[in-house]
Amino acid sequence: KKAREAEEEKAREATDSDESSESSAAEPQRPPTVYRHFCDKHRQRVKEDEGLKAGELAQRLRELWQECGDEEKEALTQECSTAMENYRAALQAFKLEARMRKRRKRKRSDEPRAAKRAKRDPHAPKKPLPVYHRFSAKIRPSLMKAEGVTYAEATQQVAELWKCVDEEERAALDAEYAVAMSKYQAALAAYQAR
């Protein structure tokens, strides 16, 4: 618990002292498993005592693990579970700090997000609505008035009606869209030429 509090205090001090820095703290390292912790503890001693090479050393450590008593395994398990709790707390603090840095960065941005998008010229011709949207714009208001449904419900009903539109009506809507698109392209060419 004290280690966790110390880590949180260090994290707070780091953010307070380096508020304007864009560099992030390193993500905490996941603690080793119980077996890995055992190997790390005994590797150097076994290597020096028996003078083994890598493959033989790994095999000897495996044998020592199998011979290891329950009390030592329990102690190692307790150490690892404590380390895991500390890791989870540090990871949670790290993720929280990352979110806070992201928010601060967003707030410090010179211009709002919407302003970053290019402004549309109000005199430029508007592109015509696609066929489905034209159909929807014609049908939705009458559905909302006649049946007294909300916009969302009317949109769902329009989608169902669109599925039932016959070939002739769809061809008429396509022709209407083609005429509107040709007018738009002519207006766009005239607009770009000036």
Side-chain angles (χ1 to χ4, degrees):
K1 191 173 181 181
K2 289 180 183 179
R4 185 181 328 146
E5 290 173 0
E7 288 175 9
E8 290 173 356
E9 184 65 58
K10 284 181 185 178
R12 271 189 247 121
E13 289 174 5
T15 56
D16 292 344
S17 66
D18 197 8
E19 194 70 28
S20 63
S21 175
E22 294 299 319
S23 64
S24 63
E27 185 172 344
Q29 291 291 316
R30 186 178 183 94
T33 62
V34 177
Y35 175 70
R36 179 68 185 249
H37 184 54
F38 172 83
C39 290
D40 291 344
K41 253 183 157 179
H42 295 282
R43 180 174 288 112
Q44 194 62 36
R45 179 184 55 80
V46 172
K47 188 175 182 181
E48 289 173 0
D49 290 350
E50 300 180 23
L52 301 173
K53 294 184 180 170
E56 297 167 336
L57 180 62
Q59 185 175 358
R60 180 67 180 131
L61 287 170
R62 193 171 29 249
E63 290 168 0
L64 287 174
W65 172 253
Q66 290 170 351
E67 296 168 4
C68 180
D70 289 340
E71 292 126 19
E72 187 178 358
K73 285 183 182 179
E74 185 61 38
L76 290 169
T77 303
Q78 186 61 37
E79 287 176 24
C80 288
S81 64
T82 303
M84 183 57 85
E85 288 173 13
N86 293 341
Y87 163 74
R88 286 187 180 131
L91 184 63
Q92 189 175 12
F94 172 78
K95 287 180 178 179
L96 177 65
E97 180 56 34
R99 282 193 297 261
M100 296 304 290
R101 272 195 308 274
K102 195 173 185 179
R103 285 184 189 161
R104 283 193 298 268
K105 184 178 178 182
R106 209 177 297 144
K107 285 181 182 178
R108 282 184 290 193
S109 179
D110 296 313
E111 45 192 65
R113 283 185 177 182
K116 291 180 182 178
R117 193 179 314 170
K119 298 281 184 186
R120 188 181 192 289
D121 184 359
H123 303 294
K126 292 186 178 179
K127 197 170 187 176
L129 290 174
V131 178
Y132 173 76
H133 293 283
R134 284 176 169 277
F135 174 77
S136 178
K138 285 181 185 177
I139 303 292
R140 188 184 299 115
S142 62
L143 282 174
M144 290 175 69
K145 284 182 185 175
E147 297 182 21
V149 294
T150 65
Y151 185 87
E153 292 168 338
T155 301
Q156 289 175 344
Q157 290 178 4
V158 167
E160 291 300 318
L161 289 172
W162 177 251
K163 292 175 186 176
C164 301
V165 171
D166 61 347
E167 297 283 329
E168 292 174 16
E169 191 175 352
R170 195 170 283 204
L173 289 168
D174 285 337
E176 188 181 312
Y177 175 73
V179 169
M181 183 55 99
S182 64
K183 285 181 183 177
Y184 164 74
Q185 289 173 342
L188 184 63
Y191 171 77
Q192 291 174 340
R194 61 175 187 130

